[in-house]
Amino acid sequence: MVDTREKSDIDRLEQLVNEKFNGALDPAGYEEMHQLLGKSTDLQAAYWSMVSIHVDLHWVIAGRELSSKQPRALFPMDGDGESPTRRSPPAPKSHSVHRPWWTLAIAAGLVGVLLAGWNLWSQPADQPGEKLAVQPAPQDPVAPPRANGQPTVEAPRATPGPARLTALADDSHWHVGRPGELNPEHFYYGDTVNVEAGTIEMRLKGDTYGILEAPAVLQLLTDNRVRLLSGHIRVNAPEQEQGFTVETPSAEVVDIGTVFSVKANDTGTDLVVFGGEVDLNLPDSGAEEHAKSAKTMRFTTGEAVHVDRDGTVSRLMSVQSMANPMSPDVPHRSPLIASVVDNNDRQDNWAFYEIVIEGMDEDAPAFVDRFHEWNGVSPQGMPDYLLGGDYVKMFNDDKVRDDLEIQVTLTEPAVLFVMLDHRVDVPEWLTSSFTNTGDVVGMDESPHDTANRYASNKEFAQVGPGDSIDETHSIWKKVLPKGGTVVLGPNGHLPSRDPEVTRTRSIQANMYGIVAVPLELE
């Protein structure tokens, strides 16, 4: 439980820090800040993060870059020869710290020095081995005394950060607000990375890693906590390292061993769980600002939600992804299927239609609620025209809904294919607007997760075409020269269905599948 007094202290500290960087903090304010920082290491850590944010914003706004050959440090070395910008914030402890609290305030004091000596940054770099002299600045009551009012600034020692950043695309560009650093490898506590182009990987301690797509802004808080201010991150956090947390302005996502993605924008937060489980912590709109979340919801594989700024949760009906959600590869073309929307009121069901870009291939998972796979019926494989198409992982339980209506929106000219189980009657909506190609594709049914399959157990879906094919689906097509929205109806009637059987998993039929491929205009 968060101590409300400590939260109040942090809020007051934030106000004082903002006044300090705006030049509005008076001597009484400095004295109050002094008293606050002496209370606990938690407040000192909070102060460190606030200073880091202000420094990052200062360099982003300034738009000035120093020479990469002769970088000038923003902060001086401390008595241990280590730069404060390269040290983790102090971990909260129950006993008093041995290092004076004001070592954490050096950052704020020298930001004032930097602002006062602003014009020096545009001058030529000092000669190698020389220290950079900074013009005098008014004495900062929160900073330690400086000899003769003339601090010196040295280049920081290159020490590994707690996280590493690497480019996953040739055109990737990012910065963290430190002068003279473009596409830095090391990512330190309190750093805020701004991904301006391309895609980058953020590798943390252990096996947890994230993929950031431009544009994105993210701050590293601890070994297992980040704050996503805007943009999109995909995360792979192994089960043994559960607890990795992504904060956004409207929610907090805590992994329980999973693959998931988070998007933050002006409307709120999108959460998609591709594998495993996560806890979504939501703010209590009636509680004190910054108080701990009063509501937690758990989501599992195949579920996705949008969280509004006010904490309202709604289902994301469809999600675009690659066949491997953590793949750094970029699609060869733009997605053909923009969205899939149905009229099914799924009470307390947060599952989504997964639109897999360029994902149709042998062993492609067919449904979001089964482990079945698409395959060619013979070793020669499925028809070539399906390969590489954008396909939709459907809900197999929808196979018996008589009033189902699905709207598929295509972004450009395309051919849309519907693959219908041979055991059901062909519905009128399909015969009236689609053409039967005469080809078929196979369904390899499996009651078990294919991630655990092995060849000797035929209950699992097997690998490759023509092996362990249980059922076939006829392939129907519709040409859409301008793209647009197509309305599809319910699955076909099952003549052999026992009316007494209501459990969908016991009904011997599958829901139809959807694939879209580009229309090649002559």
Side-chain angles (χ1 to χ4, degrees):
M1 180 176 178
V2 177
D3 190 329
T4 56
R5 291 172 299 178
E6 182 177 340
K7 294 300 295 181
S8 177
D9 285 343
I10 291 177
D11 292 342
R12 178 54 179 162
L13 179 61
E14 181 178 6
Q15 181 180 359
L16 292 171
V17 170
N18 289 338
E19 290 177 3
K20 173 182 172 59
F21 278 87
N22 289 331
L25 191 62
D26 58 22
Y30 276 107
E31 178 60 28
E32 184 180 357
M33 186 185 295
H34 178 101
Q35 297 297 328
L36 284 173
L37 290 175
K39 281 188 174 183
S40 72
T41 54
D42 286 339
L43 287 169
Q44 294 168 20
Y47 178 78
W48 178 269
S49 296
M50 295 172 193
V51 168
S52 297
I53 293 172
H54 278 281
V55 172
D56 287 348
L57 290 174
H58 170 71
W59 283 106
V60 170
I61 294 171
R64 301 288 187 95
E65 290 187 6
L66 300 181
S67 167
S68 59
K69 297 181 180 179
Q70 187 72 20
R72 301 177 182 178
L74 182 60
F75 302 111
M77 299 295 184
D78 66 7
D80 296 329
E82 183 173 341
S83 169
T85 60
R86 298 299 189 258
R87 180 179 299 135
S88 309
K93 298 180 181 179
S94 59
H95 58 278
S96 62
V97 294
H98 298 291
R99 185 177 300 277
W101 62 264
W102 43 258
T103 57
L104 295 176
I106 295 176
L110 288 184
V111 165
V113 173
L114 171 65
L115 295 175
W118 163 250
N119 60 318
L120 291 181
W121 297 113
S122 60
Q123 297 176 6
D126 294 335
Q127 295 301 316
E130 292 184 353
K131 296 180 179 180
L132 174 65
V134 181
Q135 293 296 324
Q139 185 69 30
D140 186 344
V142 180
R146 299 188 294 272
N148 301 321
Q150 289 284 351
T152 56
V153 180
E154 300 180 74
R157 185 175 62 197
T159 56
R164 300 174 66 118
L165 304 174
T166 56
L168 296 178
D170 292 339
D171 63 343
S172 299
H173 295 288
W174 68 94
H175 64 81
V176 295
R178 290 192 294 271
E181 289 193 67
L182 180 63
N183 296 356
E185 177 185 5
H186 298 302
F187 196 28
Y188 300 93
Y189 300 119
D191 275 353
T192 300
V193 62
N194 188 329
V195 186
E196 298 176 330
T199 305
I200 69 172
E201 179 185 271
M202 176 185 66
R203 179 71 61 169
L204 300 164
K205 291 182 178 179
D207 295 324
T208 298
Y209 69 99
I211 295 177
L212 283 161
E213 302 173 6
V217 180
L218 177 139
Q219 185 182 23
L220 179 64
L221 301 178
T222 69
D223 288 341
N224 65 348
R225 179 179 287 266
V226 298
R227 179 179 294 132
L228 182 65
L229 301 176
S230 65
H232 182 202
I233 184 173
R234 291 172 278 157
V235 176
N236 186 334
E239 186 174 357
Q240 64 271 21
E241 297 178 15
Q242 60 182 257
F244 180 79
T245 301
V246 179
E247 297 179 8
T248 73
S250 61
E252 179 183 81
V253 180
V254 183
D255 100 273
I256 311 175
T258 185
V259 176
F260 65 97
S261 76
V262 179
K263 286 184 180 179
N265 53 40
D266 292 340
T267 64
T269 300
D270 289 347
L271 166 65
V272 180
V273 184
F274 293 105
E277 296 180 318
V278 303
D279 280 342
L280 176 67
N281 296 328
L282 302 171
D284 182 358
S285 58
E288 181 183 351
E289 187 180 3
H290 303 307
K292 186 175 180 180
S293 166
K295 182 178 180 180
T296 297
M297 302 175 69
R298 178 158 294 184
F299 296 96
T300 62
T301 303
E303 296 183 329
V305 293
H306 174 77
V307 184
D308 288 338
R309 290 279 183 164
D310 63 0
T312 302
V313 179
S314 57
R315 174 190 170 211
L316 284 178
M317 199 164 291
S318 61
V319 172
Q320 294 176 337
S321 75
M322 299 290 288
N324 174 7
M326 294 304 295
S327 172
D329 296 337
V330 177
H332 298 92
R333 53 172 172 74
S334 60
L336 291 173
I337 303 177
S339 64
V340 180
V341 178
D342 65 31
N343 64 341
N344 196 345
D345 183 12
R346 306 176 193 273
Q347 291 291 335
D348 298 322
N349 187 335
W350 308 101
F352 59 87
Y353 290 101
E354 186 173 354
I355 303 168
V356 187
I357 305 168
E358 299 179 342
M360 191 58 178
D361 203 348
E362 303 294 340
D363 305 309
F367 304 107
V368 297
D369 54 355
R370 299 290 193 281
F371 298 118
H372 305 349
E373 295 179 345
W374 295 113
N375 274 116
V377 296
S378 70
Q380 284 68 44
M382 65 178 63
D384 290 341
Y385 53 77
L386 294 179
L387 295 174
D390 294 3
Y391 83 100
V392 181
K393 292 169 67 172
M394 307 289 284
F395 294 91
N396 207 14
D397 282 351
D398 285 348
K399 60 190 175 184
V400 295
R401 285 193 59 94
D402 295 331
D403 60 344
L404 183 67
E405 182 178 285
I406 299 176
Q407 297 183 25
V408 181
T409 300
L410 301 166
T411 60
E412 58 187 70
V415 180
L416 186 67
F417 296 97
V418 171
M419 301 172 292
L420 185 72
D421 192 318
H422 76 281
R423 292 169 291 183
V424 304
D425 292 338
V426 181
E428 190 277 332
W429 64 264
L430 190 60
T431 57
S432 63
S433 57
F434 283 73
T435 302
N436 190 347
T437 65
D439 297 326
V440 295
V441 65
M443 179 70 72
D444 190 351
E445 299 178 339
S446 174
H448 307 294
D449 189 346
T450 54
N452 303 315
R453 66 176 141 206
Y454 49 98
S456 61
N457 188 339
K458 293 301 180 180
E459 288 188 358
F460 287 89
Q462 299 300 301
V463 178
D467 190 1
S468 183
I469 302 303
D470 298 293
E471 303 297 340
T472 60
H473 287 230
S474 58
I475 303 174
W476 299 69
K477 77 172 184 178
K478 180 181 180 68
V479 177
L480 299 156
K482 296 182 179 180
T485 299
V486 178
V487 179
L488 309 178
N491 205 30
H493 174 67
L494 185 62
S496 60
R497 177 183 174 185
D498 183 347
E500 300 297 322
V501 177
T502 58
R503 186 172 181 268
T504 56
R505 288 182 180 270
S506 301
I507 297 173
Q508 301 301 306
N510 290 314
M511 181 62 179
Y512 58 77
I514 300 172
V515 180
V517 300
L519 176 62
E520 300 295 335
L521 297 176
E522 297 295 330

Short mmCIF file of all heavy atoms in Angstrom, two decimals, residues 23 28 64 89 93 129 148 173 179 192 204 243 286-287 336 352 363 393 413 429 435 438 442 479 502 508-509 512:
data_model
loop_
_atom_site.label_atom_id
_atom_site.label_comp_id
_atom_site.label_asym_id
_atom_site.label_seq_id
_atom_site.Cartn_x
_atom_site.Cartn_y
_atom_site.Cartn_z
N GLY A 23 12.70 28.60 -13.49
CA GLY A 23 13.32 29.79 -12.95
C GLY A 23 12.46 30.54 -11.96
O GLY A 23 12.67 31.73 -11.71
N ALA A 28 12.94 30.13 -0.29
CA ALA A 28 12.11 29.30 0.58
C ALA A 28 11.80 27.96 -0.09
O ALA A 28 11.76 26.91 0.57
CB ALA A 28 10.81 30.04 0.92
N ARG A 64 20.41 21.24 -30.48
CA ARG A 64 21.83 21.43 -30.72
C ARG A 64 22.55 20.11 -30.52
O ARG A 64 22.32 19.41 -29.53
CB ARG A 64 22.40 22.46 -29.75
CG ARG A 64 21.72 23.83 -29.86
CD ARG A 64 22.11 24.55 -31.15
NE ARG A 64 21.60 25.89 -31.18
CZ ARG A 64 22.30 26.94 -30.81
NH1 ARG A 64 23.51 26.81 -30.35
NH2 ARG A 64 21.75 28.14 -30.86
N PRO A 89 19.40 5.11 -10.22
CA PRO A 89 18.86 5.84 -9.08
C PRO A 89 18.93 4.98 -7.85
O PRO A 89 18.89 3.75 -7.94
CB PRO A 89 17.40 6.09 -9.50
CG PRO A 89 17.12 5.06 -10.52
CD PRO A 89 18.40 4.81 -11.23
N LYS A 93 15.60 1.96 0.58
CA LYS A 93 16.09 1.16 1.69
C LYS A 93 15.46 1.67 2.98
O LYS A 93 15.06 2.82 3.10
CB LYS A 93 17.62 1.25 1.79
CG LYS A 93 18.34 0.71 0.55
CD LYS A 93 19.84 0.84 0.72
CE LYS A 93 20.56 0.33 -0.54
NZ LYS A 93 22.01 0.47 -0.42
N GLY A 129 42.04 16.59 -23.98
CA GLY A 129 42.70 16.59 -22.69
C GLY A 129 42.33 17.79 -21.84
O GLY A 129 42.56 17.81 -20.64
N ASN A 148 35.16 28.56 -6.23
CA ASN A 148 35.27 29.82 -6.97
C ASN A 148 34.10 30.03 -7.95
O ASN A 148 34.20 30.81 -8.87
CB ASN A 148 36.60 29.90 -7.74
CG ASN A 148 37.78 29.79 -6.80
OD1 ASN A 148 37.75 30.34 -5.67
ND2 ASN A 148 38.81 29.07 -7.22
N HIS A 173 16.63 5.57 -36.48
CA HIS A 173 17.28 6.71 -35.84
C HIS A 173 16.61 6.94 -34.49
O HIS A 173 15.38 6.95 -34.39
CB HIS A 173 17.16 7.98 -36.70
CG HIS A 173 17.88 7.89 -38.01
ND1 HIS A 173 19.25 7.91 -38.11
CD2 HIS A 173 17.41 7.75 -39.28
CE1 HIS A 173 19.60 7.80 -39.38
NE2 HIS A 173 18.50 7.70 -40.11
N PRO A 179 23.83 15.10 -25.19
CA PRO A 179 24.50 15.82 -26.28
C PRO A 179 25.53 14.95 -26.98
O PRO A 179 26.24 14.17 -26.36
CB PRO A 179 25.16 17.00 -25.56
CG PRO A 179 25.32 16.55 -24.15
CD PRO A 179 24.15 15.68 -23.87
N THR A 192 15.16 8.81 -21.57
CA THR A 192 13.96 8.75 -22.39
C THR A 192 14.39 8.66 -23.84
O THR A 192 15.00 9.58 -24.37
CB THR A 192 13.07 10.00 -22.18
OG1 THR A 192 12.70 10.08 -20.80
CG2 THR A 192 11.82 9.92 -23.04
N LEU A 204 16.90 -5.90 -22.19
CA LEU A 204 17.06 -5.67 -20.76
C LEU A 204 17.84 -6.80 -20.13
O LEU A 204 18.26 -7.75 -20.80
CB LEU A 204 15.68 -5.52 -20.10
CG LEU A 204 14.84 -4.37 -20.64
CD1 LEU A 204 13.39 -4.52 -20.23
CD2 LEU A 204 15.39 -3.05 -20.15
N GLY A 243 6.71 -10.00 -14.23
CA GLY A 243 6.71 -8.78 -13.44
C GLY A 243 7.13 -7.56 -14.23
O GLY A 243 7.01 -6.43 -13.74
N GLY A 286 -12.03 7.89 -8.87
CA GLY A 286 -12.47 8.58 -7.68
C GLY A 286 -11.41 8.71 -6.62
O GLY A 286 -11.61 9.35 -5.61
N ALA A 287 -10.24 8.10 -6.86
CA ALA A 287 -9.18 8.12 -5.87
C ALA A 287 -8.29 9.33 -6.07
O ALA A 287 -8.35 10.01 -7.09
CB ALA A 287 -8.36 6.83 -5.95
N LEU A 336 -3.48 -5.54 -46.50
CA LEU A 336 -4.66 -5.48 -47.37
C LEU A 336 -5.95 -5.38 -46.55
O LEU A 336 -6.90 -4.72 -46.96
CB LEU A 336 -4.73 -6.73 -48.25
CG LEU A 336 -3.65 -6.87 -49.33
CD1 LEU A 336 -3.76 -8.23 -50.00
CD2 LEU A 336 -3.81 -5.77 -50.35
N PHE A 352 -9.94 -11.24 -30.05
CA PHE A 352 -9.89 -10.43 -31.27
C PHE A 352 -9.68 -11.29 -32.50
O PHE A 352 -9.14 -12.39 -32.43
CB PHE A 352 -8.77 -9.39 -31.17
CG PHE A 352 -7.39 -9.99 -30.97
CD1 PHE A 352 -6.60 -10.38 -32.04
CD2 PHE A 352 -6.87 -10.14 -29.69
CE1 PHE A 352 -5.33 -10.92 -31.85
CE2 PHE A 352 -5.61 -10.68 -29.48
CZ PHE A 352 -4.84 -11.06 -30.57
N ASP A 363 0.86 -24.77 -42.35
CA ASP A 363 0.84 -24.79 -40.88
C ASP A 363 0.44 -23.45 -40.26
O ASP A 363 0.74 -23.19 -39.09
CB ASP A 363 2.21 -25.21 -40.31
CG ASP A 363 2.69 -26.55 -40.87
OD1 ASP A 363 1.91 -27.51 -40.82
OD2 ASP A 363 3.83 -26.62 -41.35
N LYS A 393 -7.49 -15.00 -38.58
CA LYS A 393 -7.74 -16.09 -37.62
C LYS A 393 -9.13 -15.86 -37.04
O LYS A 393 -9.36 -14.90 -36.32
CB LYS A 393 -6.65 -16.11 -36.55
CG LYS A 393 -5.28 -16.49 -37.09
CD LYS A 393 -4.16 -16.25 -36.10
CE LYS A 393 -4.23 -17.15 -34.90
NZ LYS A 393 -3.01 -17.01 -34.05
N PRO A 413 -7.21 -2.61 -54.10
CA PRO A 413 -7.72 -3.68 -54.97
C PRO A 413 -7.18 -5.04 -54.53
O PRO A 413 -5.99 -5.20 -54.26
CB PRO A 413 -7.21 -3.30 -56.35
CG PRO A 413 -7.10 -1.80 -56.30
CD PRO A 413 -6.65 -1.49 -54.90
N TRP A 429 -25.45 -16.39 -49.39
CA TRP A 429 -24.64 -15.18 -49.55
C TRP A 429 -23.32 -15.48 -50.26
O TRP A 429 -22.77 -14.61 -50.94
CB TRP A 429 -24.38 -14.51 -48.20
CG TRP A 429 -23.54 -15.32 -47.21
CD1 TRP A 429 -24.01 -16.12 -46.22
CD2 TRP A 429 -22.12 -15.41 -47.16
NE1 TRP A 429 -22.98 -16.71 -45.53
CE2 TRP A 429 -21.80 -16.28 -46.09
CE3 TRP A 429 -21.10 -14.84 -47.90
CZ2 TRP A 429 -20.49 -16.61 -45.75
CZ3 TRP A 429 -19.78 -15.17 -47.57
CH2 TRP A 429 -19.48 -16.04 -46.51
N THR A 435 -17.27 -16.89 -56.36
CA THR A 435 -17.14 -17.94 -57.38
C THR A 435 -16.34 -19.10 -56.80
O THR A 435 -15.28 -18.90 -56.19
CB THR A 435 -16.43 -17.40 -58.62
OG1 THR A 435 -17.16 -16.29 -59.15
CG2 THR A 435 -16.30 -18.48 -59.68
N GLY A 438 -13.03 -24.37 -57.39
CA GLY A 438 -12.84 -25.79 -57.62
C GLY A 438 -11.65 -26.36 -56.86
O GLY A 438 -11.44 -27.58 -56.86
N GLY A 442 -6.61 -27.94 -46.96
CA GLY A 442 -6.83 -28.87 -45.86
C GLY A 442 -6.82 -28.20 -44.49
O GLY A 442 -6.24 -27.12 -44.30
N VAL A 479 -13.53 -10.85 -56.62
CA VAL A 479 -12.60 -9.81 -57.06
C VAL A 479 -13.15 -8.45 -56.66
O VAL A 479 -14.31 -8.13 -56.92
CB VAL A 479 -12.38 -9.87 -58.58
CG1 VAL A 479 -11.46 -8.74 -59.03
CG2 VAL A 479 -11.80 -11.22 -58.98
N THR A 502 -25.17 -28.85 -27.90
CA THR A 502 -25.02 -27.39 -27.86
C THR A 502 -23.58 -26.95 -27.64
O THR A 502 -23.24 -25.80 -27.90
CB THR A 502 -25.88 -26.80 -26.73
OG1 THR A 502 -25.49 -27.40 -25.48
CG2 THR A 502 -27.36 -27.07 -26.98
N GLN A 508 -19.28 -31.23 -35.20
CA GLN A 508 -18.29 -31.66 -36.19
C GLN A 508 -18.31 -30.79 -37.44
O GLN A 508 -18.80 -31.17 -38.50
CB GLN A 508 -18.52 -33.13 -36.56
CG GLN A 508 -18.45 -34.08 -35.37
CD GLN A 508 -17.09 -34.01 -34.68
OE1 GLN A 508 -16.05 -34.16 -35.31
NE2 GLN A 508 -17.10 -33.76 -33.37
N ALA A 509 -17.74 -29.60 -37.30
CA ALA A 509 -17.58 -28.68 -38.43
C ALA A 509 -16.66 -27.56 -37.99
O ALA A 509 -16.41 -27.36 -36.80
CB ALA A 509 -18.93 -28.13 -38.89
N TYR A 512 -15.62 -20.95 -41.43
CA TYR A 512 -14.89 -20.66 -42.66
C TYR A 512 -13.68 -19.77 -42.38
O TYR A 512 -13.57 -19.12 -41.34
CB TYR A 512 -15.80 -20.04 -43.73
CG TYR A 512 -16.50 -18.76 -43.36
CD1 TYR A 512 -15.84 -17.53 -43.36
CD2 TYR A 512 -17.87 -18.75 -43.06
CE1 TYR A 512 -16.49 -16.35 -43.06
CE2 TYR A 512 -18.54 -17.56 -42.76
CZ TYR A 512 -17.84 -16.37 -42.76
OH TYR A 512 -18.50 -15.20 -42.46
#
